[in-house]
Amino acid sequence: MTTLKQLPKLAIASLGGTVSMRKDLLAGGVKPALGCEKQVAQVPELQAMALLEVETLALLPSASLDFPALLDVFAWAKSQVEAGAVAVILTQGTDSLEETAYFLDLIWPFDAPLVMTGAMRSASQPGNDGPGNLIAAAQVALADTSGGRGVLVVMDDQVHAASRVRKAASLSTSAFKSPSCGPLGLLLEGSVVYHHAIKRKEALPLPLRTDHKVALLESCLGADTDLLMAVTQLGYAGLVIAGFGAGHVSESWSAALGSIASMLPVVVATRTGSGPTARSSYGFVGGEIDLQAKGIHMAGQLCPRKCRILLWLLLASNNQHRLVSWLQ
Ligand code: GLU
């Protein structure tokens, strides 16, 4: 029989989000209300799986998290692993989960899994998915096969790599997808089965500064260049463009981006939601061959939002010269 002493130590923290939300009559809708203790209490099975260290780090809708808050979350998760936790789980809002997971993945230096989850239905709704996602996250976190995979996002019985996952639907309980490659693994009868491995690089150094800004703008039909040209005047340290198709912009944007790229790093990604940018297919002005000749970087597989996170972290530790090696 398993004794309490043999149970592994598992750290769980919540940051807020729908998984923590309950109906609030005054607000007229759901709001963050349940701290981590209450979320964990909804899943009594967790007590038999691990010795739990439970913490409420924030009770925010996830659009209001920011990079300094994530650095505090990282410090807490790091301290838990250093104190013997075999894995860490974070629950948070799903709106920014694809960005927070990638941010933490880029700086996570441990083999111990950092598993992130949330819910699409609040605790007040029938069929709420929070408790099911939380136990699935624990099953993934405690599996021997999850080590060395960095930050994992567990939603709807699927396990996604932080570098690939995105929220692809606004309200569906199966909102999370990893376009082009699919999920890394699945939960089957409570056990995780991995179908793919993930190549990870060494963790990036922690930020030396947090006061710099990276802009993200989307190319769209007939757009003028006024906002683009304001980027340098407003003190941005980097610029990411969600480009058309395989990473393309208009002729006027190509000229503007060329001049911006002589002052700060510029990356063009695809706004399509799936697939990589091209590198050597299109020869028109505004196509990837022209953009690269102007000193602009193509994002490869990284979506625009994850590019912005990467560029921000590289700039934060004066490692922008490593950008190209990350864009594949
Ligand atoms: N649907 C979002 C969630 O799952 C809304 C709020 C948020 O992201 O915090 O949590």
Side-chain angles (χ1 to χ4, degrees), residues 17-19 21 60-63 92-96 119-120 167 170:
T18 297
V19 68
M21 293 194 196
L60 289 170
S62 69
Q92 70 150 80
T94 59
D95 284 356
S96 67
M120 294 299 294
K167 187 175 186 180
S170 56

Side-chain angles (χ1 to χ4, degrees), residues 42-54:
Q42 295 174 324
V43 191
E45 296 85 347
L46 289 173
Q47 304 293 343
M49 293 169 71
L51 284 174
L52 305 178
E53 180 70 36
V54 176

Side-chain angles (χ1 to χ4, degrees), residues 106-142:
L106 286 172
I107 55 175
W108 187 244
F110 302 108
D111 274 347
L114 174 53
V115 180
M116 301 181 70
T117 191
M120 294 299 294
R121 293 186 183 143
S122 74
S124 307
Q125 277 177 281
N128 73 78
D129 49 333
N133 285 337
L134 182 53
I135 196 157
Q139 287 158 346
V140 170
L142 295 171

Side-chain angles (χ1 to χ4, degrees), residues 107-244:
I107 55 175
W108 187 244
F110 302 108
D111 274 347
L114 174 53
V115 180
M116 301 181 70
T117 191
M120 294 299 294
R121 293 186 183 143
S122 74
S124 307
Q125 277 177 281
N128 73 78
D129 49 333
N133 285 337
L134 182 53
I135 196 157
Q139 287 158 346
V140 170
L142 295 171
D144 293 340
T145 47
S146 295
R149 295 176 189 267
V151 176
L152 299 168
V153 172
V154 175
M155 291 291 292
D156 194 30
D157 282 348
Q158 295 189 330
V159 188
H160 298 271
S163 57
R164 293 283 172 262
V165 70
R166 59 188 301 165
K167 187 175 186 180
S170 56
L171 290 168
S172 160
T173 51
S174 53
F176 282 79
K177 308 277 179 226
S178 294
S180 307
C181 61
L184 288 185
L186 302 173
L187 266 298
L188 295 174
E189 298 183 308
S191 298
V192 58
V193 179
Y194 286 103
H195 300 299
H196 307 296
I198 183 88
K199 265 205 220 148
R200 296 189 76 231
K201 287 181 184 287
E202 208 180 308
L204 288 177
L206 289 177
L208 301 169
R209 59 178 179 142
T210 58
D211 58 352
H212 58 297
K213 307 180 289 183
V214 175
L216 167 56
L217 294 172
E218 181 165 307
S219 298
C220 41
L221 199 64
D224 59 69
T225 57
D226 293 354
L227 279 176
L228 278 186
M229 295 319 288
V231 163
T232 49
Q233 289 148 26
L234 291 172
Y236 284 87
L239 172 63
V240 176
I241 301 295
F244 294 104

